[in-house]
Amino acid sequence: MSAAGISEARAASGLTATLQHARHVITENPVTGFAFALFLLLVVTAILGPSLVPYDPLATDSSASLRPPSARHWFGTDQLGRDIFSRVVVATRLDMIIAVTSVAVVFAAGGLAGIAAGYFGGWTDRIVGRLADTIMAFPLFVLAMGIVAALGNTVTNIVIATAVVNFPLYARLARAEANIRRDAGFVMAARLSGNTDLRILLFHILPNILPIMVVQMSLTMGYAILNAAGLSFIGLGVRPPTPEWGIMVAEGAAGIISGEWWVALFPGLTLMGAVFCFNLLGDGVRDIVDPQRRT
Amino acid sequence: MRVARQIGQRLVTALPSVAGVIVVTFLLTRILPGDTAAYFAGPAATPAAIEEIRARLGLDQTLPVQFLRYVGDLARGDFGASLTTGQPVLADITARLPASAELVLVALVLAVAIAVPLGIIAALKERSLIDHACRVVATAGVSLPVFFTGLLLVYVFYYILGWAPSPLGRLDVFASAPPTASGFFLIDSLLAGDVETFRATLAQLVLPAATLAIFALAPIARMTRGAMLSVLGSDFVRTARAAGLSPNTVVMGYAFRNAVLPVITTLGMVFSFLLGASVLVEKVFAWPGIGSYAVEALIASDYAPVQGFVLVMAVLYLLLNLCIDILYGLIDPRVRIDA
């Protein structure tokens, strides 16, 4: 690198440097670029989808039931003659909301509990650790089923159940990262200058471990979508006729053995694509935020 | 003798987890939406009847007293009764458990049989075509919704190709189950010398087991590849190679024996996935296991079976993890189980 290059790199502020690095990662690895494009498509669909679709996702038409894909109905129609393409597109918003909310909830709850455990140690640490161990003692999907059964069969409770089963992952990661930094120089300096524990936790330690937590969030988004779709596949949470990918696959399951493949295939493929996108994206975000952990 | 003591010590360390599991399932029974007593009394109950049921279920006691009662009931094997089948939950679950166990174990064997060789080859030929294929399979495997894979397999192998029998349970409706010895139809039919039933059972089992196996392949293959790569790069493998041992001896006798430990550790996580995914697969294939039992109960708002199911699954998972730890100690004598 030339001398001019070095000074240029130094001149770039933190934000521009990050953006440059992000652009580098996206352009250098076509798979990551593809995942980002897919992610943008999902977000746009979630926001604009309901106003773009050609048919009302709830409108039934008994004269056009179980039509295979055609120019009129790109993904065909289901038993009640509803347009599957419209339903798949409209469902994006609900599926994304469930996944994003549950990840946000567990990020806040698990992250804060973990930081507190790592920073204070002692009893806080023991309680949070025991809580995480107890959750990990269950097969996670089974525990999610039990929680939804106990709290009641609603979408909110699917979000809560998905957040609870992910709690150990976040709490353990945040605990480990906060524990390393507990006696770091900047924390000691903050303590000496009279900051309270709470202030140190929220304004000194939290910002430092945020990047690693963000990576964790994008890595668990795919799992959150799968978990929610699995729950609604077995009839929990989302009720018909609400369009949602998992329940749409369940509605199409009967058609699979009589040859109506399109009813289950398109929502299933979309679900798969979304999860695949988030798994790839997770690796990409890790490359941007935390280059040392590249694999 | 030493092994027996180690196993005993490991059992003791599992006790807090068991206690945690029981507390959680107890709490799950107490946070039912609405009034539990009114729920169990049914929609047509009078206030007096509701109060009577409240007293009978012990719901008028304090929470700690209720908890002791709950533990006492569990100790006597009383998991409550199912409203839909009218049977005690424990009897229902015991009757259906072999079906689930057979499915999950066959799937696990299948997954290990494919994933471990795949991981070894991928590590031996790093950055080759098969290595890339392995990585694609691993990423796709974790992205596949297991219920969707199941439906795809049914469509291709039952509807289009006609190779598989109809995806409805463990045996064709016209076939009769083999005499019960283990509850595993594959073993029972062989014990009875009934080759026809064995074939029929296997035919029904292939698709659901394959669905679960595809799901479990990814983490096992990935871990095998990673563990083999790090072992193959170590000094003792280089020494073994330099000493002129055949590649086969080096790979299987030296490298794999050391790489197998992390792979066994991953099996714990794989079991968590498998037990959860088996619920979905049982629903897709109308498999008469405990997963579909719990799903049916959930739809009917019949809570006792669901709670029994969650508890049994958690205990099974704990036992499996225990087996893994013990196996670990047997394979690697350096590992103290209690550590």
Side-chain angles (χ1 to χ4, degrees), chain A:
Chain A
M1 196 186 272
S2 67
I6 292 171
S7 63
E8 224 177 75
R10 277 203 192 125
S13 70
L15 185 67
T16 6
T18 311
L19 284 179
Q20 275 175 356
H21 182 55
R23 207 183 64 200
H24 168 73
V25 169
I26 292 172
T27 46
E28 183 227 30
N29 187 345
V31 178
T32 311
F34 172 71
F36 271 101
L38 212 56
F39 174 68
L40 280 181
L41 181 69
L42 277 175
V43 172
V44 170
T45 311
I47 297 170
L48 299 178
S51 48
L52 291 180
V53 291
Y55 294 89
D56 176 356
L58 299 181
T60 59
D61 178 5
S62 53
S63 65
S65 71
L66 291 175
R67 293 275 169 81
S70 62
R72 277 192 65 188
H73 298 283
W74 290 357
F75 290 178
T77 60
D78 66 6
Q79 293 90 330
L80 300 172
R82 294 174 297 197
D83 180 50
I84 294 176
F85 176 72
S86 303
R87 287 173 66 75
V88 166
V89 169
V90 170
T92 313
R93 182 182 288 181
L94 179 59
D95 276 277
M96 295 287 276
I97 286 179
I98 294 177
V100 170
T101 331
S102 63
V103 168
V105 168
V106 70
F107 170 75
L112 288 181
I115 299 177
Y119 181 74
F120 293 115
W123 275 107
T124 325
D125 193 14
R126 251 167 268 165
I127 291 169
V128 171
R130 183 47 68 198
L131 202 61
D133 285 350
T134 307
I135 293 172
M136 294 293 277
F138 289 88
L140 296 181
F141 186 74
V142 171
L143 181 62
M145 278 173 70
I147 293 173
V148 177
L151 291 179
N153 198 347
T154 63
V155 175
T156 318
N157 290 334
I158 285 209
V159 171
I160 294 176
T162 309
V164 168
V165 299
N166 272 321
F167 176 85
L169 273 179
Y170 283 77
R172 285 187 176 167
L173 182 68
R175 182 200 172 275
E177 295 296 329
N179 202 28
I180 303 171
R181 290 169 177 77
R182 181 162 70 168
D183 296 320
F186 69 93
V187 173
M188 294 214 186
R191 202 174 291 145
L192 270 178
S193 6
N195 288 290
T196 59
D197 279 339
L198 194 66
R199 221 187 124 73
I200 295 177
L201 269 187
L202 292 181
F203 294 100
H204 295 267
I205 292 183
L206 184 63
N208 270 285
I209 71 169
L210 214 49
I212 297 161
M213 300 292 290
V214 168
V215 172
Q216 184 71 20
M217 279 173 84
S218 48
L219 285 173
T220 44
M221 275 287 281
Y223 176 74
I225 295 185
L226 268 189
N227 198 60
L231 288 172
S232 62
F233 178 77
I234 59 174
L236 290 175
V238 186
R239 306 280 174 92
T242 314
E244 191 275 342
W245 297 331
I247 206 166
M248 289 175 72
V249 175
E251 284 165 358
I256 284 286
I257 44 175
S258 50
E260 286 102 24
W261 49 271
W262 58 90
V263 185
L265 181 76
F266 291 109
L269 278 183
T270 316
L271 172 62
M272 210 176 91
V275 178
F276 197 60
C277 161
F278 279 113
N279 286 342
L280 292 177
L281 198 66
D283 293 337
V285 171
R286 184 185 49 207
D287 290 351
I288 293 172
V289 172
D290 195 8
Q292 290 171 346
R293 294 198 191 187
R294 289 185 74 155
T295 46

